[in-house]
Amino acid sequence: MRLRTLREKRGLTQEQAAEMIGVHPKSMPRIEGGTANPTVATLVAASVAYGVPLRDFFTDEEGT
């Protein structure tokens, strides 16, 4: 997943992103690192917060 890249492009800290998404700030490194499985609701909230479609979390930089 590209959560970290998308968050950084928006200039957000993990704490800011966690607040926008509605998860505990300590969860963000695990979610971004792939050691925690976010719920669909969390992914939808991240999609809204980052202003991107859900599919962008699962594609690489080139859209594949």
Side-chain angles (χ1 to χ4, degrees):
M1 282 193 275
R2 301 180 44 234
L3 290 171
R4 174 189 243 168
T5 303
L6 292 168
R7 173 183 58 79
E8 289 174 343
K9 282 184 178 180
R10 279 142 191 82
L12 298 170
T13 65
Q14 287 184 332
E15 292 80 15
Q16 291 168 325
E19 184 174 332
M20 292 173 72
I21 294 168
V23 298
H24 194 278
K26 290 186 178 182
S27 297
M28 287 303 293
R30 293 179 43 231
I31 292 170
E32 289 181 351
T35 60
N37 293 318
T39 64
V40 172
T42 298
L43 292 175
V44 169
S47 172
V48 172
Y50 297 167
V52 297
L54 274 174
R55 71 177 172 266
D56 285 6
F57 295 145
F58 303 100
T59 58
D60 62 21
E61 293 289 330
E62 297 165 1
T64 59

